[in-house]
Amino acid sequence: MHAHSHAHDQGETRSSHLFVHPELADVFAALPERPDNPYADVAALRAGFRALMAPLMPADDGRVTIRRTSLTGPDGNTIDVQVLRPAGAVGVLPGVLYLHGGGFVYGELDGPSPMAREACVAAGAVVVNVHYRLAPEHRYPAGVEDCYAALEWMAARAGELGLDADRIAVTGASAGGGLSAAVCLMARDRRGPRIVWQGLLIPCLDDRLHTASVRRVTDRRIINGAGLGHTWDTYLGPDRGPDTPAYAAPARATDLSGLPPAYVLTCGLDPLRDEGRDYARRLMEAEVPVETKDVPGAWHFFEAYAPHTEVARRTTAHWLAALRAALTTAPRESAPRPSAARA
């Protein structure tokens, strides 16, 4: 009995009692411990993420053309965007609003992220990669309002950008997944541009931190439940009250009807797993079409740490296939409804 309780104590700090995907076990074992509050040194956090992503950033990516431009944000601020188009693509393409992750605080890279590039190539789409304002310099609602402004800009400039305003998807990972969910709520409530698909990848949706997965994932080598408290404090401000708006934490939205079809990706060793699954279930209950995928034994954003594993490749291919299918089959709102004799 005593030995068992000691093993459990060890497990609390090292997650040894949690299932780790066999393909990821060696990478997981070698991860360094993270600081208790990574947001205490924002400059180091931003630099560390750039260093993690550097090996995944192509020096010369012939698959896409990249145009840098900017738009005016809701506060008269300038929002830098990168517009990606598949090399050699002609004609009008579907559009993707890509919102990067990084706890609402970091995640910007010198070029478009690998995920934005992959989305462009896989979906044959014009991708708008948004450099929204970041906390703590700019707390909620600056970042999400920038993302929504970029959606409106995309739809208004569709002709110039070579994209179809009736086929725009919104996607992002982690904080970018939360921002994507929020932009969909905003577009519905404000009667804004039509969104045909929301890709919520390991989304950060709920500041209440009350799920079982938040309590379960305590390992200090990976994003854990305690760390999420610091994420929300940084985004919303340490003096935040109990009534966080739904555009900040979409899990707080009481009505999920009328939202775009969704794809929700979660990971078994991610403290965010349960809020993603809960949101997917509530979307389903609201008659929103939802596809879900969970990767057991994988941690938050594991693909960046183990990009060459089969499980990482399969996970990436899965969400990209869902994005492509959504943009390929999206019904044209402006087109007449197909008749039975369409064969």
Side-chain angles (χ1 to χ4, degrees):
M1 178 67 201
H2 180 72
H4 173 76
S5 64
H6 176 69
H8 184 67
D9 290 344
Q10 288 291 103
E12 280 307 301
T13 52
R14 304 298 287 184
S15 290
S16 56
H17 60 305
L18 300 180
F19 172 75
V20 179
H21 193 288
E23 259 198 291
L24 301 173
D26 289 350
V27 177
F28 186 65
L31 291 174
E33 288 204 348
R34 301 162 59 86
D36 279 337
N37 179 8
Y39 298 89
D41 187 343
V42 168
L45 185 60
R46 290 172 180 163
F49 184 76
R50 283 172 176 268
L52 170 69
M53 297 304 289
L56 304 177
M57 295 290 286
D60 181 35
D61 193 338
R63 302 173 306 159
V64 297
T65 60
I66 300 164
R67 180 162 77 88
R68 293 163 193 271
T69 185
S70 64
L71 58 130
T72 302
D75 301 318
N77 55 303
T78 298
I79 305 170
D80 290 323
V81 296
Q82 294 146 355
V83 181
L84 290 74
R85 195 176 169 91
V90 293
V92 178
L93 304 180
V96 176
L97 181 70
Y98 176 79
L99 308 176
H100 71 75
F104 311 103
V105 171
Y106 62 97
E108 288 188 352
L109 302 164
D110 297 322
S113 79
M115 295 175 82
R117 294 163 191 262
E118 296 299 337
C120 177
V121 176
V126 174
V127 176
V128 176
N129 181 66
V130 187
H131 282 198
Y132 54 87
R133 284 172 290 175
L134 299 173
E137 296 90 343
H138 304 280
R139 300 196 196 277
Y140 173 84
V144 73
E145 290 290 354
D146 283 358
C147 295
Y148 186 76
L151 172 72
E152 289 195 308
W153 176 84
M154 263 181 97
R157 301 287 184 95
E160 181 191 320
L161 295 170
L163 66 89
D164 179 354
D166 279 327
R167 285 190 299 156
I168 294 176
V170 178
T171 190
S174 194
L179 292 165
S180 296
V183 164
C184 290
L185 290 167
M186 294 161 86
R188 177 196 67 181
D189 298 346
R190 296 173 181 180
R191 296 184 166 79
R194 177 165 177 256
I195 299 168
V196 298
W197 186 83
Q198 51 180 325
L200 311 181
L201 312 175
I202 52 172
C204 184
L205 299 165
D206 198 343
D207 66 303
R208 292 166 294 194
L209 305 177
H210 57 187
T211 64
S213 60
V214 163
R215 292 190 297 274
R216 232 177 105 245
V217 181
T218 56
D219 194 296
R220 296 181 47 160
R221 291 170 292 179
I222 56 178
I223 293 210
N224 54 49
L228 291 177
H230 296 301
T231 298
W232 286 107
D233 287 346
T234 308
Y235 182 44
L236 301 175
D239 50 354
R240 61 192 171 102
D243 300 320
T244 302
Y247 296 162
R252 287 181 174 265
T254 51
D255 175 15
L256 299 185
S257 63
L259 289 169
Y263 174 95
V264 183
L265 171 69
T266 53
C267 289
L269 288 179
D270 188 344
L272 299 171
R273 181 193 66 182
D274 293 355
E275 66 201 62
R277 304 293 285 183
D278 290 348
Y279 197 70
R281 177 184 52 77
R282 290 182 53 225
L283 285 168
M284 290 174 188
E285 289 170 358
E287 298 302 328
V288 175
V290 185
E291 181 177 359
T292 62
K293 179 173 174 61
D294 184 68
V295 188
W299 61 94
H300 188 82
F301 203 43
F302 77 98
E303 302 95 321
Y305 298 85
H308 303 302
T309 57
E310 182 64 22
V311 64
R313 284 198 296 262
R314 276 194 307 139
T315 301
T316 299
H318 197 270
W319 77 262
L320 290 171
L323 168 67
R324 181 185 177 88
L327 290 174
T328 304
T329 60
R332 294 286 307 259
E333 193 91 318
S334 53
R337 291 290 172 218
S339 68
R342 186 178 60 149

